[in-house]
Amino acid sequence: MPTPPRPRPPTGPPLPSAEAALTVDPFAVRDVPRLEAAQVEAVLALLRAATAADGVRPLSEDAELRLQHGGGAGGRDVLVEIGDAVVGYARFEGGDPGDTDDTDDAEGELVVHPDARRRGVGRVLLARLEELAGHRPLRVWAHGDLPGSAELAAAGGYDRARVLLQMRRDLAGVDPDPRPSLPDGVRVLPFVPGRDEQAWLGVNARAFAAHPEQGGWTAADLALREAEPWFDAAGFLLAWRGDPGADGELLGSHWTKVHPPGDAGDEAIGEVYVLGIAPSAQGTGLGRALTDLGLAHLRGRGLREVLLYVEADNVPAVTLYEKRGFTRFSVDVSWRRAH
């Protein structure tokens, strides 16, 4: 089984010692719709320190993007500071704050600097998330299912609502030149920015209609990722029947991603980022074909390993991935408390 990243020295301003912290007004807590650039950098340093200490990224990709670029109405960034040091951060997503009829769950994610744990920072962050949620139930993601996160959630009366598995496999056994059988009239071509966005969003919405997050992606969500340094159109494979564009029909896609060293391990690692098949093309073998082509692309990039995420209760998908050489690596848990 792959090993987690080796600890690296934390970055950012030094934190006060436990003794010194007692002489400071315990915690300065604030939440804002959008952090200033210097505050974003401080939070990113906190995230790097937590990743190095825990071997797992403390926030989801979506939360990190919203931290850096802003989010929709109702989103808040929560900071906990001791003196000049940022020791805790939470991202809150609550929808439109003016919609008093909103009964959907609010969502949050939080992280505490490794040098500031066991001082009550996590409880302060969670309490602020609960205040922001108001009358709505609150879901809080715990990445890696670390003991401290489980203790905090259980003490607050939260129950496990969802479990997301990260699975991994090596790429050494992947066929570097697969020639899968495709449905009649279908060809697989790389994504073309500026042309394929709307077609992909339509298929993504249909393929993930029952998925809590993925199925609701907007053009803005896609554009944010196209602007990221890791985006590679050559690894974003689309299955078209007919010519791409207005006259063609997009049936599915396999969007791969490459994590740089230090992001998900000591070495760069590939990801089955989004694999989606239109309902009309499910059961045709297109998913297996796109999977093989995407894995071959990642192997061709010189990578040695690939990861993916799947809902733990999606038994058919987990079983399929296990048959294709993937094994369970880590767990993310969504904790929920009803009000």
Side-chain angles (χ1 to χ4, degrees), residues 11-16 27-28 30 35-36 38-47 49 67 78-90 111-116 121 125:
T11 56
L15 298 178
F27 303 120
R30 52 189 167 135
L35 295 178
E36 298 177 359
Q39 295 169 325
V40 170
E41 288 304 315
V43 174
L44 291 174
L46 186 162
L47 300 185
L67 160 67
V78 183
L79 288 183
V80 174
E81 297 165 304
I82 299 178
D84 295 329
V86 175
V87 297
Y89 169 77
V111 54
V112 178
H113 195 287
D115 294 342
V121 177
L125 285 168

Side-chain angles (χ1 to χ4, degrees), residues 220-232:
D221 294 322
L222 179 54
L224 276 179
R225 289 155 176 82
E226 287 186 71
E228 285 292 288
W230 57 261
F231 179 77
D232 175 21

Side-chain angles (χ1 to χ4, degrees), residues 109-261:
E109 300 183 44
L110 62 90
V111 54
V112 178
H113 195 287
D115 294 342
R117 292 173 181 172
R118 302 293 177 179
R119 301 192 200 175
V121 177
R123 291 193 299 273
V124 169
L125 285 168
L126 187 59
R128 182 54 60 93
L129 290 175
E130 291 170 351
E131 290 174 359
L132 291 170
H135 66 280
R136 288 165 294 179
L138 176 65
R139 292 177 181 260
V140 181
W141 277 103
H143 300 281
D145 197 19
L146 302 173
S149 300
E151 291 173 15
L152 179 64
Y158 287 76
D159 298 312
R160 286 178 177 244
R162 289 174 60 197
V163 177
L164 192 66
L165 298 180
Q166 184 190 131
M167 305 183 73
R168 296 191 179 192
R169 65 156 291 173
D170 67 73
L171 289 167
V174 167
D175 185 350
D177 185 26
R179 302 191 180 185
S181 176
L182 295 170
D184 290 343
V186 174
R187 2 173 234 166
V188 177
L189 301 170
F191 180 90
V192 176
R195 184 194 69 187
D196 295 336
E197 282 83 355
Q198 288 305 313
W200 183 83
L201 286 168
V203 168
N204 182 70
R206 295 193 298 276
F208 295 99
H211 193 280
E213 293 94 16
Q214 184 65 43
W217 273 27
T218 65
D221 294 322
L222 179 54
L224 276 179
R225 289 155 176 82
E226 287 186 71
E228 285 292 288
W230 57 261
F231 179 77
D232 175 21
F236 194 166
L237 307 177
L238 305 186
W240 291 95
R241 174 172 282 136
D243 294 329
D247 296 330
E249 180 186 9
L250 183 61
L251 299 180
S253 69
H254 183 182
W255 186 355
T256 67
K257 176 180 179 178
V258 177
H259 295 265

